[in-house]
Structures are given as structure tokens and as C-alpha cells.
Amino acid sequence: MANILCIGAGYVGGPTMAVIAQKCPEHRVVVVDMDGAKIAAWQSDHLPIYEPGLKEVVLSCRDKNLFFSREVERHIAEADIIFVSVNTPTKTFGQGAGKAADLQYWEKTARQILQHSRTPKIVVEKSTLPVRTAEAMERILHSHDRDLPFDVVSNPEFLAEGTAILNMENPDRVLIGARDTPSGLKAMQAIVDIYAHWVPRERIITTNLWSSELSKLVANAFLAQRISSINSISALCEKTEADIQEIAHAIGLDSRIGPRFLNASVGFGGSCFKKDILNLVYLCDHYGLSEVARYWEQVVRMNEYQQARFHSRILSSMFNTVAGKRIALFGAAFKANTSDTRESPALNVCRALVEERAEVVLTDPYALDNARIDLGEDARRVIFEPDPYVAAANAHAIAILTEWPLFADLDYEAIYRSMAKPAFIFDGRNILNHRGLFSIGFNVQAIGKPPLIHPAR
Ligand code: NAD
Ligand code: UGA
């Protein structure tokens, strides 16, 4: 039996540890966080995040071999293996502001581990970190004269929100990096043994520390690059009457390209793509690789362009003014099946329309509470409405911003009847039946598609 601790009970720490606890009943898993309200939520019926299947997994092992606690110090002392899953946001101050990773939470954890440890520990980097961070962690952990053995292992997380449990239960791969020393390899084996409870051995890959750390940034950069690539072509489609979905299908059938992550959209969001690419850009600049930095930076720029293009298109289609017009935004979450609104393109479009003095109504099945928080001051100028039919009533336009399946299944004839005319629909996720909407009477504009506009009568 091992005492496993995870520091950080967020989107990664909570779900990953719940699955580890369920799959490894002989181990004791404790998840700690300095945010007491979050821990209380993990202990309650209302988990702090919405994630399909999560509640079932948590309930299957909570208070058996899975525990949530605020007592960070005590559990550090008891642990054999410590996963560190704290937030590593983009730095907002000082050197590297706007690009570099803010490692203050990470560093604080390293010092806490050192201060409260009396026995050897394996420290696992679960957070996404700049390459060579493990070196800094090792230096902090070995800075004390107690000379306790600590091994630092990298085990980046590849789960995507909305499918976190499926991704954990059936990962494409698990990546574990460690030092090529006897104790490093022993520590690596201990982490391999945890995942080997349910992941086929050939999908658990082991590398050196730096490859593991850097692979995480590179995986996110490649995924985001695909989205920016297809989005860049969507702009060309809108000029040429080519159809982005037909193109994605045609190129995706090439087995070298593959069909996934080719959905053109209003832009990618989420807490990680932008921050991780900017971190990669910062690292490249740091190592004097300016051309490489500029190459990856463009992925983020293209994403900003795509969002700006979307709300400009709303404005220009609606006779260059939306002031005083009710616009229903369908979706606040950065993607479907999550309540997370961090870096959500929906909120950027929302802010831009508020700026244009539109009457913005935001609807979402799970993400309105987070949207209200993330919008800050602008929230006062937005109406939050859980029912999409109510949101759309008397609106001049609807914009689909999150690909929740429920938005595709609404009664658009009824919605059309309730709206101001001419009624516009802007599909930022290409989930609706555009021809059908056009025949109902809507003017339809979708990403990377020819517009369907009724001529003036
Ligand atoms: P999060 O903000 O949801 O959770 C981090 C938690 O750590 C917070 O609850 C915070 O209170 C806690 N924390 C910070 N410092 C602490 C300390 N010293 N002691 C105790 N608790 C502390 O973040 P997240 O989305 O779970 O991401 C965590 C890391 O995982 C990041 O590096 C991120 O890049 C990476 N990651 C995230 C995802 C994702 O889908 N969200 C996927 C893969 C990797
Ligand atoms: C992403 C990665 O997919 C995970 O592997 C990684 O672990 C995680 O980031 C992380 O490091 O945080 P996530 O951001 O949760 O996961 O969700 P994705 O499914 O990757 O979607 C990201 C954004 O891209 C969403 O806004 C989504 O709507 C958008 N997207 C995705 C598109 O616009 N088009 C696509 O074809 C796919």
C-alpha cells in the first residue's frame, strides 16, 4: 500500500486522483488544496467541476481510499508519492509577463514539501511546466541539510475537459520521465506500476525528464496548430464559397492527416492551449530561437484573429450596428460538456458585443456561474438566462458559441417566430442544419461557409 497525495484539487487533480483511487484500491489517495471551499465541494454532492462520469467515480471510492482535505502539511508528511497538480498560469507581471509560466504556486509547493517531509518521497510533476523545471524542483528539495532522498518524476497530463474520465480510463498513452539513475529509475517504476493497474504496458512510455516535460507543451502546440490551420482556411472559404466542412472531410481522409481536430470554430479556448503555446514561445526566445518562437506565436495570433473576425461578421451582417439590439449567445463554456469558461471564445465575443452596446443574453446549461465570475465588470451588462428559448425571444440574432448538442436539437421554428425580424443566426461551431434554418426564414452565417441571406423584399 502506498500513500499517494495530490496537491491541487482542480480540473486535473480531482479527476485523475479519483480514477487512480478507483483503479488501485490498495493505495490510499488524498487530494489537498489550499482552497477550503473547493475541498468542501469535493466532499459534498455538488462537486466543484462538471465532468461526465466524474461523480460516479468519486462516489465509488470517496471515504474508502479517496479523501479530500485542506491539511496540506499533515498529508505531505504522511505521503510516499506526491503528485503536484497546481495551476501554472501565464505570468501577468515582471519579466516574461504575458508569456512565461507563473511558477509561484509550483515553487511554493516545492518548499512546502521540503518543510514538512521527514521520509523519502517521489515528487511527480503533473502540472504543465517549462522544460527543465524538474531541475529547479530538485534544487529546492535538496537545499536542506536533512538530506532526505527526493526523486522528481515528470508525468504530464493529457486529458481533455469534458472527456476527462474516458481519457484517464483509456489513455492514448501515459508519459513518465525520470533521471537515468538507480533511484530515478526506481521512482519511475513506482509510477509505471500505478498506471499498469489498468493501462496496457505498451501505452505507458518512459523517457528522460526533459523529453517528458517538453512533450506536453509540444502536444498542446500541435493540437492548437491544427485548429488555427483549419480556422485560417475557413477565412479563405468565406471569400471563395468553398465549404470548410467539405475541405476538412476531404483532407482528413488522408491517413497521414487524419480527421480529428479539424472542426473550424470561433476559436479554441480553455485554460491551457494559449498559455502553453505562449510558454513555448517564451522558452524559444529564451534560448535565442526567435524564428521558432515566431512560428508558434502565429498559432495564438490566428486564434485571436478568428474570434475578432467572428464578432466583426456579426456587426457587418447586422447593418453595422448592434447597439440596443438583443443578441442571444448560445454557449459560455469553452467547449461542450464542461462548466469551464477559462479563455472561452464565447466570453470574448460576449465582451465585444457588450462594447458595441448590444443587449447580450448568455445561455448555457452548466457554465453560467463561471461565466458570471470570469466576465467581471462586464457581467453587470449581460443577462444570464438558462433557458435558450427565453434567451432567444425578441432577439435580433443568435450566435452559437459552444457546441452543446442540445443547441442543435432546439425547435428553431418556434424560436424564429419569437424573434425580431430579420432574424440572424451565426453558427460559430457548425453544428446546425444551415439549409433548414434558411428555409425557416433565418439569415444564416456559419464559419467557413457561404452565407445564406434572404434578399430584401
Ligand atoms: P486548477 O486551477 O483547476 O487547479 C489548481 C489547484 O491548485 C487550485 O484549486 C489551487 O487552489 C491549488 N493550489 C495552488 N497552489 C497550491 C498549494 N500551494 N497548496 C495547495 N493547493 C494549491 O488547475 P488545473 O486546470 O487543474 O491545472 C493544473 C495543471 O494541470 C496546470 O499546470 C495545467 O496546465 C495542467 N493541465 C490542465 C488540464 C486541464 O484540462 N485543465 C489538462 C492537462 C494539464
Ligand atoms: C486540451 C488537450 O486536448 C488535452 O490533451 C490537454 O491535456 C489539455 O488541453 C490541457 O493541457 O489542458 P482541452 O483544452 O480540455 O484539452 O479541450 P480540447 O478538446 O483540446 O479543446 C480545446 C479547444 O479547442 C476548445 O475550445 C474546443 O472547442 C476547440 N476545438 C477543438 C476546436 O475549435 N476545433 C476542434 O476540432 C477541436
Side-chain angles (χ1 to χ4, degrees):
M1 200 265 298
N3 278 316
I4 298 175
L5 173 66
C6 177
I7 303 181
Y11 285 88
V12 169
T16 55
M17 291 304 126
V19 172
I20 288 178
Q22 191 186 51
K23 302 290 185 187
C24 309
E26 78 277 22
H27 294 326
R28 185 168 185 272
V29 180
V30 180
V31 189
V32 291
D33 203 292
M34 60 187 184
D35 180 341
K38 204 173 267 187
I39 290 299
W42 280 110
Q43 290 164 331
S44 78
D45 274 349
H46 301 284
L47 302 185
I49 58 177
Y50 171 71
E51 192 61 61
L54 173 64
K55 199 165 182 182
E56 290 78 357
V57 177
V58 169
L59 292 183
S60 75
C61 44
R62 194 171 64 190
D63 300 329
K64 293 181 188 136
N65 69 327
L66 173 67
F67 304 90
F68 295 92
S69 167
R70 302 167 214 198
E71 292 177 83
V72 182
E73 289 85 7
R74 174 161 82 86
H75 291 293
I76 287 176
E78 289 173 2
D80 305 306
I81 300 173
I82 304 179
F83 286 83
V84 182
S85 184
V86 299
N87 36 329
T88 51
T90 302
K91 227 178 145 188
T92 53
F93 54 88
Q95 195 173 315
K99 280 201 183 128
D102 182 348
L103 296 176
Q104 61 172 308
Y105 308 102
W106 170 257
E107 221 224 76
K108 183 169 177 241
T109 316
R111 291 182 190 283
Q112 280 175 304
I113 294 173
L114 176 63
Q115 192 186 348
H116 301 287
S117 291
R118 297 290 175 270
T119 54
K121 320 248 175 237
I122 299 171
V123 179
V124 186
E125 296 179 338
K126 197 52 151 166
S127 301
T128 303
L129 295 158
V131 57
R132 297 204 76 88
T133 301
E135 200 169 25
M137 177 64 113
E138 287 171 342
R139 284 186 60 193
I140 295 171
L141 292 175
H142 294 125
S143 64
H144 200 276
D145 51 13
R146 257 183 279 139
D147 206 23
L148 271 178
F150 288 103
D151 284 290
V152 179
V153 174
S154 161
N155 170 224
E157 184 50 58
F158 296 103
L159 67 77
E161 288 177 32
T163 52
I165 299 300
L166 290 175
N167 298 152
M168 271 297 288
E169 287 177 341
N170 189 20
D172 287 346
R173 78 315 205 176
V174 169
L175 177 57
I176 304 172
R179 291 269 186 193
D180 189 12
T181 60
S183 78
L185 295 175
K186 199 169 155 217
M188 177 191 265
Q189 190 57 45
I191 308 306
V192 169
D193 289 344
I194 292 176
Y195 287 101
H197 278 73
W198 76 96
V199 181
R201 187 60 188 81
E202 64 279 9
R203 278 197 254 155
I204 305 177
I205 56 171
T206 55
T207 64
N208 79 31
L209 263 175
W210 323 125
S211 308
S212 175
E213 288 179 334
L214 188 53
S215 294
K216 172 62 199 176
L217 293 182
V218 174
N220 274 0
F222 269 59
L223 289 168
Q225 183 197 41
R226 269 174 87 89
I227 304 169
S228 276
S229 296
I230 201 76
N231 282 346
S232 72
I233 302 302
S234 75
L236 187 56
C237 286
E238 287 163 30
K239 299 280 183 204
T240 58
E241 296 194 11
D243 180 315
I244 197 64
Q245 283 181 303
E246 292 178 352
I247 291 176
H249 181 62
I251 65 168
L253 286 175
D254 185 327
S255 57
R256 293 167 302 174
I257 297 175
R260 297 176 68 188
F261 260 66
L262 288 179
N263 293 324
S265 66
V266 57
F268 61 74
S271 62
C272 293
F273 276 176
K274 182 177 168 190
K275 105 173 150 61
D276 291 349
I277 295 173
L278 291 176
N279 186 198
L280 186 65
V281 168
Y282 182 76
L283 283 167
C284 293
D285 275 329
H286 170 79
Y287 287 107
L289 303 171
S290 171
E291 281 75 8
V292 186
R294 301 292 79 73
Y295 175 77
W296 287 108
E297 198 166 28
Q298 192 56 23
V299 173
V300 174
R301 298 290 157 255
M302 185 54 62
N303 196 48
E304 287 162 356
Y305 170 69
Q306 188 73 353
Q307 294 172 57
R309 228 165 56 71
F310 188 79
H311 61 73
S312 296
R313 203 172 172 204
I314 295 180
L315 193 60
S316 61
S317 309
M318 296 178 72
F319 322 110
N320 292 310
T321 177
V322 290
K325 290 181 185 166
R326 184 175 169 99
I327 301 186
L329 302 184
F330 281 17
F334 80 97
K335 64 184 279 196
N337 294 317
T338 177
S339 54
D340 194 349
T341 53
R342 293 180 290 179
E343 296 291 340
S344 175
L347 300 194
N348 290 336
V349 171
C350 180
R351 286 188 195 97
L353 294 173
V354 163
E355 189 66 29
E356 289 291 339
R357 305 201 177 167
E359 180 187 318
V360 179
V361 192
L362 193 55
T363 187
D364 191 287
Y366 286 96
L368 289 186
D369 290 343
N370 283 335
R372 197 178 274 112
I373 296 166
D374 285 0
L375 281 169
E377 279 289 293
D378 283 333
R380 286 192 297 168
R381 297 197 275 162
V382 172
I383 302 166
F384 297 87
E385 172 51 62
D387 183 338
Y389 290 101
V390 177
N394 300 316
H396 291 253
I398 294 171
I400 308 287
L401 298 172
T402 309
E403 69 278 27
W404 287 104
L406 79 92
F407 294 147
D409 295 334
L410 299 172
D411 178 350
Y412 280 97
E413 295 205 15
I415 287 178
Y416 179 75
R417 283 195 299 275
S418 77
M419 287 176 66
K421 308 293 178 318
F424 292 84
I425 200 152
F426 300 91
D427 188 352
R429 295 289 186 170
N430 286 343
I431 57 167
L432 302 181
N433 172 356
H434 303 136
R435 289 249 149 240
L437 292 169
F438 183 63
S439 59
I440 290 173
F442 283 103
N443 295 303
V444 186
Q445 304 251 20
I447 298 279
K449 304 244 177 193
L452 299 171
I453 306 291
H454 291 283
R457 270 180 280 179

